[in-house]
């Protein structure tokens, strides 16, 4: 469904994404791991269109979207949750979700209400629906990132460290939510440092180091690979 | 079905509505009990308020930092002097034409300027206004640097000085009501919610499907149209126009920024409250010459430091009060409580 071929991105001379080729299939759940600063979030930016690549080609359903801006990709069914939550702080939680549900204000508002409430229930935020988004705790901000993205009814959901900083209980309920989304047929790309959370959901794992992809395949095999243990865990095999 | 519902109006909004209607009626009847001088000030106030509401949409919501709205004020004003003064078009059609002209003009200008980012965009808007000023000052038909006087004969055809003041006031009142009305309906709708999302975080908004470019351009066109009509009616009141006055950045941008910032950037009510405060201050301070500008500057700085969301933002945060209901109240299904 989403295909990146030889995609690179640079800040000046610093290559942050280095010739990455990656594809995500229909309904697949792909996990991405890698050390801090490896370029994982940048990869999501490139998939969403928040950043445009210096080189390479990106297609979605076979259609070239390499230079397509984020708002158009959202229309095609791509949505993302930011690593550091970025709620619309001047709005209520409900209105935050409504922005996604109306497709950025293009769809009828009333017809989108039930979708919003459904997503708020699904993500456990319904009790906070009336509150200003600026007053939410970290966990709820992360949930709001997820809820807002889900409200766009994505076919491909990009998640960036949505489990970071949560307690075990919170993490468990989040895993359940994401598993449910995945089971409903939505393709997922999930960046996460909490590997056990990731492994509970994904059916493929990809490792990024210094902007390049160094492993891609069955999660268990990838995790066991020497190269990965060395770079990611910092322990030579 | 989840059983939750959304309510857009509360009980007290009926009273706000009634109050608003009464105020409009009183304002429309102003010529019955206010003199020429008062009407002139009211006309000016209406013009500033319309500009402020638009600048608030631009800078406070769409993130369009224009410091060049005087470009459209000037073009609109000159358009009126030519269309109505020289060519004899009736007044109201001429004012509407001035607004249409500046809207049309803002399309190519906007498309070019929106290629610039951040500070470059702001400077770009100012450069465009300066170019318009230079072009106007070059034109003999437009009276070059000295400008034009509105033909006395045409002015007389609008009635006596008192009747004219009333007429211009009604026109200005219509423009400001139109501006506030359009801004309100827009902001209240889901498209307005998208605009508010852009105010808070344009990149995140784009990721959810908000067409940021299109929204920016739409706001820019509307603001240009309103600026054109405001320019037309305000210079009509003065009966004289010159390039320096028509494209004056102090008058048409600096004052407007002052109004929006002290009133509350990113709140519709802010622009309205700010205009009232601005005119009160100006009334008190105008006699002090150069001190007037310094005092205004000092006040703006104090407000920005103590109440970064402006005076209305400050009030709204403490009391939850809103003059223009935009909230979405959520009512849980029976037997379910909400925090
Ligand atoms: N604006 C910028 N200018 C220059 N370099 C930047 C900029 N933003 C990010 N970088 C660099 O790009 C690299 C990749 O950043 P990115 O956020 O994609 O990493 P990440 O893998 O998501 O890291 P983390 O696990 O900490 O979230 C980092 O080395 C970072 O320092
Ligand atoms: Mg990251």
């Amino acid at each position: 469904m989403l295909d990146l071929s030889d995609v690179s991105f640079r800040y000046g001379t610093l290559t942050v994404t280095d010739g990455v080729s990656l594809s995500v299939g229909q309904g697949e759940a792909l996990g991405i791991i890698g050390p801090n600063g490896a370029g994982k979030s940048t990869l999501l930016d490139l998939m969403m269109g928040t950043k445009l690549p210096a080189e390479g080609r990106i297609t979605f359903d076979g259609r070239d979207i390499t230079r397509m801006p984020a708002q158009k990709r959202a229309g095609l069914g791509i949505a993302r949750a930011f690593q550091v939550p970025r709620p619309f702080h001047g709005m209520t939680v409900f209105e935050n979700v409504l922005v996604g549900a109306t497709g950025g204000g293009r769809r009828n508002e009333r017809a989108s209400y039930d979708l919003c409430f459904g997503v708020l229930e699904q993500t456990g935020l319904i009790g906070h629906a009336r509150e200003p988004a600026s007053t939410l705790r970290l966990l709820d901000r992360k949930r709001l990132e997820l809820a807002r993205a889900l409200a766009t009814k994505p076919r491909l959901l990009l998640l960036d460290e949505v489990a970071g900083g949560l307690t075990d209980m919170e993490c468990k309920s989040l895993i359940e939510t994401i598993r449910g989304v995945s089971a409903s047929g939505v393709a997922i790309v999930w960046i996460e440092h909490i590997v056990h959370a990731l492994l509970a959901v994904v059916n493929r794992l990809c490792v990024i180091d210094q902007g390049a992809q160094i492993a891609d395949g069955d999660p268990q095999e990838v995790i066991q690979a020497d190269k990965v243990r060395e770079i990611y865990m910092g322990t030579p095999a | 079905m989840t059983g939750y519902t959304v309510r857009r109006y509360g009980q007290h909004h009926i009273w706000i509505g009634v109050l608003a209607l009464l105020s409009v009626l009183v304002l429309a009847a102003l010529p019955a009990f206010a003199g020429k001088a008062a009407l002139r000030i009211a006309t000016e106030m209406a013009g500033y308020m319309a500009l402020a509401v638009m600048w608030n949409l631009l800078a406070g919501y769409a993130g369009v930092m224009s410091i060049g709205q005087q470009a459209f004020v000037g073009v609109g004003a000159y358009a009126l002097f030519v269309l109505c003064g020289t060519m004899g078009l009736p007044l109201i059609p001429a004012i509407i034409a001035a607004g249409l002209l500046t809207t049309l003009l803002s399309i190519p200008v906007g498309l070019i300027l929106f290629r610039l980012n951040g500070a470059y965009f702001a400077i770009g808007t100012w450069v465009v206004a300066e170019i318009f000023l230079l072009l106007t000052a070059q034109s003999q038909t437009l009276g070059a640097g000295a400008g034009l006087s509105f033909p006395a004969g045409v002015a007389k055809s609008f009635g006596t000085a008192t009747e004219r003041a009333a007429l211009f006031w009604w026109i200005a009142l219509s423009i400001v009501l139109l501006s506030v009305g359009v801004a309100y309906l827009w902001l209240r709708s889901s498209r307005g919610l998208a605009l508010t999302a852009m105010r808070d975080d344009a990149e995140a908004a784009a990721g959810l499907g908000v067409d940021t470019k299109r929204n920016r351009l739409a706001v820019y066109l509307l603001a240009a149209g309103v600026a054109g009509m405001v320019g037309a009616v305000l210079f009509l009141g003065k009966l004289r126009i010159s390039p320096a006055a028509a494209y004056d950045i102090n008058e048409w941008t600096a004052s407007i920024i002052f109004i929006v910032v002290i009133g509350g950037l990113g709140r519709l009510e802010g622009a309205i409250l700010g205009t009232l405060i601005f005119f009160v201050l100006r009334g008190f301070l105008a006699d002090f010459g150069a001190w007037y500008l310094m005092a205004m500057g000092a006040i703006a700085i104090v407000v920005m430091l103590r109440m970064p969301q402006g005076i209305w933002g400050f009030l709204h945060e403490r009391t939850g009060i809103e003059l223009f209901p935009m909230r979405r109240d959520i009512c849980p299904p029976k037997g379910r409580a909400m925090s």
Side-chain angles (χ1 to χ4, degrees):
Chain A
M1 164 155 69
L2 180 76
D3 291 280
L4 279 68
S5 57
D6 252 332
V7 170
S8 297
F9 180 83
R10 299 184 190 91
Y11 285 109
T13 54
L14 177 70
T15 302
V16 175
T17 305
D18 192 1
V20 171
S21 295
L22 193 68
S23 52
V24 187
Q26 211 88 26
E28 192 176 27
L30 169 70
I32 295 182
I33 58 172
N36 288 326
K40 304 181 296 296
S41 297
T42 307
L43 203 55
L44 285 206
D45 284 335
L46 293 168
M47 292 177 181
M48 187 69 232
T50 314
K51 293 195 172 90
L52 299 180
E55 283 150 34
R57 211 170 104 92
I58 305 174
T59 61
F60 189 71
D61 289 337
R63 176 175 170 191
D64 193 321
I65 59 164
T66 312
R67 313 224 63 88
M68 184 186 277
Q71 57 252 36
K72 290 239 178 75
R73 295 193 202 191
L76 293 182
I78 307 181
R80 74 91 67 86
F82 285 101
Q83 177 173 1
V84 179
R86 291 163 69 164
F88 304 124
H89 50 76
M91 302 182 186
T92 63
V93 168
F94 174 74
E95 286 169 331
N96 264 266
V97 176
L98 189 59
V99 174
T102 56
R106 273 174 294 205
R107 276 194 296 278
N108 180 279
E109 170 167 343
R110 285 185 179 282
S112 311
Y113 285 160
D114 269 327
L115 172 60
C116 291
F117 291 123
V119 166
L120 287 169
E121 280 187 332
Q122 188 185 358
T123 51
L125 276 176
I126 192 77
H128 298 287
R130 284 174 177 176
E131 292 168 21
S134 55
T135 61
L136 292 183
R137 311 173 292 142
L138 178 68
L139 166 66
D140 293 324
R141 281 173 190 240
K142 294 215 167 207
R143 283 175 166 161
L144 181 55
E145 279 294 323
L146 180 62
R148 226 165 47 171
L150 283 176
T152 65
K153 288 212 245 174
R155 293 202 296 130
L156 172 64
L157 179 62
L158 311 172
L159 303 173
D160 199 347
E161 299 196 21
V162 285
L166 305 189
T167 66
D168 282 354
M169 280 297 287
E170 293 170 343
C171 192
K172 246 188 204 135
S173 82
L174 188 75
I175 290 172
E176 279 320 304
T177 311
I178 295 174
R179 214 188 241 153
V181 173
S182 175
S184 72
V186 176
I188 292 178
V189 176
W190 186 6
I191 296 175
E192 195 56 77
H193 280 301
I194 304 172
V195 179
H196 74 86
L198 207 54
L199 294 182
V201 176
V202 302
N203 42 40
R204 220 179 94 211
L205 191 62
C206 166
V207 185
I208 302 282
D209 185 38
Q210 296 184 11
Q213 166 196 29
I214 58 164
D216 184 359
D218 175 76
Q220 289 306 331
E221 283 171 24
V222 166
I223 275 290
Q224 299 303 329
D226 290 350
K227 215 166 42 169
V228 174
R229 296 184 74 88
E230 192 176 325
I231 289 165
Y232 191 64
M233 314 290 177
T235 48
Chain B
M1 290 301 289
T2 53
Y4 287 88
T5 51
V6 177
R7 225 180 32 193
R8 299 301 306 270
Y9 292 104
Q11 283 287 317
H12 68 288
H13 289 140
I14 296 174
W15 297 110
I16 293 182
V18 170
L19 215 66
L21 205 67
L22 282 177
S23 330
V24 170
L25 288 177
V26 170
L27 288 173
L30 204 59
F33 42 84
K36 241 177 357 193
L39 281 178
R40 281 210 188 103
I41 293 180
T43 303
E44 206 186 345
M45 238 167 125
Y48 275 60
M49 195 180 280
L51 291 178
V53 167
M54 287 301 134
W55 200 79
N56 191 21
L57 276 187
L58 283 170
Y61 285 90
V64 177
M65 275 295 160
S66 169
I67 53 168
Q69 293 308 99
Q70 66 274 17
F72 303 116
V73 172
V75 170
Y78 269 101
L80 180 95
F81 273 59
V82 171
L83 291 173
C84 180
T86 317
M87 295 167 61
L89 202 68
L91 181 58
I92 308 287
I95 287 181
I96 294 171
L100 288 179
L101 181 73
T102 48
T103 308
L104 279 179
L105 185 61
S106 71
I107 298 173
V109 172
L111 288 177
I112 294 169
L113 288 178
F114 283 130
R115 295 169 160 269
L116 305 173
N117 284 324
Y120 294 102
F121 174 83
I123 294 167
T125 60
W126 174 68
V127 168
V128 165
E130 289 297 297
I131 291 173
F132 285 8
L133 181 148
L134 292 174
L135 288 177
T136 309
Q138 289 300 312
S139 161
Q140 292 305 322
T141 352
L142 299 178
L148 296 170
S149 289
F150 198 80
V154 183
K156 288 232 171 64
S157 72
F158 304 142
T160 65
T162 313
E163 286 166 349
R164 281 202 304 259
L167 177 63
F168 299 165
W169 158 246
W170 283 322
I171 295 173
L173 180 64
S174 313
I175 295 171
V176 73
L177 289 178
L178 184 85
S179 306
V180 172
V182 169
Y184 172 52
L185 290 178
W186 191 343
L187 289 175
R188 210 182 117 79
S189 71
S190 61
R191 282 171 188 281
L193 189 69
L195 211 56
T196 312
M198 283 170 61
R199 171 194 73 184
D200 291 348
D201 189 332
E203 210 173 75
L208 296 173
V210 176
D211 197 335
T212 51
K213 262 193 196 150
R214 214 171 123 168
N215 281 337
R216 285 199 178 111
L217 193 63
V219 173
Y220 191 68
L221 298 195
L222 176 69
V226 169
M229 292 197 287
V230 168
V233 73
L234 291 191
F235 279 93
L236 181 64
K238 297 182 205 284
L239 295 178
R240 256 214 68 75
I241 191 169
S242 69
Y247 299 100
D248 185 1
I249 186 170
N250 285 326
E251 197 76 14
W252 309 122
T253 294
S255 326
I256 301 301
I257 294 179
F258 175 88
I259 288 172
V260 175
V261 166
I262 53 170
L265 190 68
R267 308 220 166 264
L268 183 50
E269 294 93 339
I272 295 169
L273 181 66
T275 309
L276 301 179
I277 296 172
F278 175 77
F279 275 81
V280 169
L281 286 176
R282 206 176 73 167
F284 280 124
L285 297 172
D287 297 336
F288 297 95
W291 288 102
Y292 151 71
L293 283 175
M294 281 188 247
M296 293 291 238
I299 290 166
I301 289 171
V302 169
V303 170
M304 278 193 277
L305 289 175
R306 314 293 317 233
M307 309 175 209
Q309 334 86 322
I311 294 173
W312 187 267
F314 181 82
L315 290 176
H316 175 76
E317 211 161 71
R318 300 287 140 120
T319 61
I321 179 173
E322 43 173 22
L323 288 186
F324 297 95
M326 298 199 200
R327 62 204 293 155
R328 293 169 172 85
D329 270 331
I330 295 158
C331 314
K334 278 205 175 58
R336 192 95 68 93
M338 295 200 69
S339 59

